[in-house]
Amino acid sequence: MLNETYNIFKSGTDIRGVASEGVADQPVNLTDDVIERMAAGFVLWAEKKLGKPASALTISVGRDCRISGERIAAAVIRTIAAAGAKVYDCGLSSTPSMFMTTVDFGCDAAVQITASHHPFNRNGLKFFTRGGGLDGVDIEAILEHAQADDKPAPADGSVEKVNYMARYSAHLRDIICRGVNAEDYAHPLKGFHIVVDAGNGAGGFYASEVLEPLGADISGSVYLDPDGMFPNHIPNPENETAMQSICQAVLSSHADLGVIFDTDVDRGAAVDASGKEINRNRLVALASCLALENCPGATVVTDSITSTGLNEFIEKHLGGKHYRYRRGYKNVINKAQELTAQGIEAPLAIETSGHAAMKENYYLDDGAYLCTRIIIKLAQLRREGKTLESLLAALREPVEACELRLKITDTDFRAAGERVISALEAYAQAQDGWHIAPDNREGIRVSFDKNDGDGWFLLRLSVHDPILPLNIESDSEGGVELIKEKVLSFLKTQSGVEV
């Protein structure tokens, strides 16, 4: 069992903590000693999982641009090498590229140092094997080793610096060349104006190393230079300021398309030529178009907060099947892989946050790969005299939507949240006009007829935090407020939740 000190580092399928000073009341807990313990724990876990001694392992290590990244990378690399393994030091890298080292370099495992979109003072560790990212039980095993200060036997390993991002960029360029198959094969994006907003994260390479060499005009791109303090906006496609930034970049430069990434490029989103976001439900819809093109009737796995209109789009317009599952990118990926193993074709697993994993790409959530597929489709549609917007014309979007994040005040927040959700389900069953979704797989989802709010709500427990997110959508003006009052009137009767 993890004690309080080490349990705080477990963040779903990642390890995260405070790595830099600078934020009040957030002391550094990812010290060199703690990082070395975690890296040693990962080596021990890998030896057992892969059935190899450390001396037979090759492990790649990369990082995003956070100000603590170089320090943490140095601690991870020296610990793994001291166990006898061969280490590829990949330096500044995207998270998906680190998985790809297990494909292209034959690495047994990979470590990415990142805290995704979290503030500059935080950082963490993300792990891969050739089978994909680790699950929560694996993270717990690594942290248990760290807590016990278990160490592999010392041996002399080796460290080699490599520029894998150059190879990864060439891989993406090749995908675009083959997908577009232009007359000028080596310059398939000639005549396209595409802007990139990297938010000063690790995604600036996509403009200079992928798009520009293929002939694209990337003028008007913003915040391409890595800066671990993220001075312009949070690198996060779910952030309103970040999306306003890329929308403005598209409009100001009169671009054909804009793409934006989170810090470590495992998530992406787009903006069409009119400056309209292709994000959240619209991104899921577009990704579903791409995934179902060659897999008619297949299943798209999404998280729980996708809209009613998206369900209709996937099932009625595209002819696919929609499997609404749970929040957490690893949850949707695991479910898609599980369905595929059962003989149910599931070419896409996607969260509304922008995590999108395609079967054709190792079920890897890769923002650069998703944007690459979108750009290929943009080029194909132009040849037909069509636009990306035309693909989404049939998507019915809600008139209103909101998310409330309700703080759980009980110390055992998970038990408290589950208690509230269970009580709300019993309450909903007794209310006239409250229709509990038959296919709901997370929290409780209830829909209402036109006269009672004309929409739905979902109350669920956050994957990581002591929070009950309440998502509400309505197809009528004023419907969100009506539904919100119905739910809050119940929640005010519950203890342990700040309403």
Side-chain angles (χ1 to χ4, degrees), residues 242-303:
M243 290 309 297
Q244 287 174 350
S245 172
I246 184 61
C247 289
Q248 186 57 50
V250 169
L251 293 173
S252 297
S253 58
H254 305 288
D256 300 304
L257 184 74
V259 297
I260 184 171
F261 301 113
D262 72 345
T263 315
D264 60 326
V265 204
D266 60 359
R267 290 187 295 138
V271 173
D272 67 26
S274 70
K276 187 171 183 178
E277 295 180 15
I278 303 176
N279 202 15
R280 300 179 67 84
N281 284 293
R282 286 173 62 80
L283 185 67
V284 178
L286 180 55
S288 298
C289 291
L290 303 177
L292 295 175
E293 273 183 325
N294 299 315
C295 297
T299 296
V300 172
V301 180
T302 75
D303 62 345

Side-chain angles (χ1 to χ4, degrees), residues 192-205:
F192 286 90
H193 189 175
I194 303 172
V195 295
V196 176
D197 185 336
N200 300 113
F205 78 95

Side-chain angles (χ1 to χ4, degrees), residues 463-485:
V463 176
H464 306 303
D465 304 316
I467 296 290
L468 281 170
L470 174 62
N471 290 88
I472 308 174
E473 287 189 3
S474 174
D475 292 326
S476 297
E477 192 171 325
V480 160
E481 190 65 27
L482 185 58
I483 294 171
K484 182 171 68 175
E485 289 306 314

Side-chain angles (χ1 to χ4, degrees), residues 64-379:
D64 70 20
C65 60
R66 291 166 190 279
I67 59 174
S68 58
E70 290 189 28
R71 172 182 70 84
I72 294 175
V76 170
I77 288 168
R78 66 173 172 261
T79 302
I80 295 174
K86 180 177 182 178
V87 181
Y88 286 134
D89 178 1
C90 297
L92 182 66
S93 303
S94 71
T95 291
S97 75
M98 294 312 298
F99 166 79
M100 290 300 293
T101 63
T102 70
V103 177
D104 288 341
F105 282 175
C107 292
D108 298 288
V111 184
Q112 172 73 345
I113 296 154
T114 183
S116 186
H117 61 281
H118 287 264
F120 76 93
N121 67 315
R122 297 184 67 81
N123 215 328
L125 303 173
K126 199 177 188 76
F127 306 99
F128 296 97
T129 67
R130 182 62 176 78
L134 272 58
D135 286 311
V137 292
D138 303 312
I139 299 301
E140 192 159 334
I142 291 168
L143 288 174
E144 284 174 350
H145 281 307
Q147 177 178 287
D149 200 16
D150 298 333
K151 297 186 184 302
D156 292 328
S158 63
V159 179
E160 179 182 346
K161 286 186 177 293
V162 298
N163 181 10
Y164 179 69
M165 286 302 293
R167 182 163 173 172
Y168 176 71
S169 298
H171 167 68
L172 294 177
R173 293 197 303 269
D174 181 59
I175 291 172
I176 294 174
C177 288
R178 287 187 284 111
V180 177
N181 195 25
E183 186 174 340
D184 183 355
Y185 186 83
H187 303 96
L189 300 182
K190 190 174 182 180
F192 286 90
H193 189 175
I194 303 172
V195 295
V196 176
D197 185 336
N200 300 113
F205 78 95
Y206 194 75
S208 59
E209 304 301 318
V210 178
L211 300 181
E212 193 170 35
L214 298 181
D217 177 359
I218 61 167
S219 61
S221 293
V222 293
Y223 315 135
L224 302 182
D225 294 332
D227 185 333
M229 293 298 291
F230 312 123
N232 293 292
H233 63 69
I234 298 170
N236 180 6
E238 285 192 291
N239 179 265
E240 184 178 349
T241 302
M243 290 309 297
Q244 287 174 350
S245 172
I246 184 61
C247 289
Q248 186 57 50
V250 169
L251 293 173
S252 297
S253 58
H254 305 288
D256 300 304
L257 184 74
V259 297
I260 184 171
F261 301 113
D262 72 345
T263 315
D264 60 326
V265 204
D266 60 359
R267 290 187 295 138
V271 173
D272 67 26
S274 70
K276 187 171 183 178
E277 295 180 15
I278 303 176
N279 202 15
R280 300 179 67 84
N281 284 293
R282 286 173 62 80
L283 185 67
V284 178
L286 180 55
S288 298
C289 291
L290 303 177
L292 295 175
E293 273 183 325
N294 299 315
C295 297
T299 296
V300 172
V301 180
T302 75
D303 62 345
S304 57
I305 65 172
T306 46
S307 71
T308 304
L310 177 67
N311 176 270
E312 294 171 355
F313 182 82
I314 292 172
E315 299 205 336
K316 296 180 180 178
H317 181 68
L318 298 180
K321 295 181 177 62
H322 181 199
Y323 192 102
R324 190 183 281 124
Y325 196 46
R326 295 159 50 195
R327 289 285 279 181
Y329 69 93
K330 199 66 169 69
N331 288 329
V332 294
I333 291 172
N334 286 349
K335 178 53 67 174
Q337 290 176 315
E338 177 188 321
L339 292 174
T340 297
Q342 295 171 1
I344 300 170
E345 191 66 29
L348 174 65
I350 184 167
E351 264 201 314
T352 48
S353 66
H355 281 286
M358 290 185 161
K359 181 184 177 185
E360 66 190 41
N361 191 44
Y362 309 99
Y363 279 123
L364 173 65
D365 51 323
D366 184 344
Y369 184 84
L370 176 62
C371 289
T372 292
R373 291 283 272 110
I374 291 172
I375 289 167
I376 291 170
K377 177 51 67 174
L378 174 70

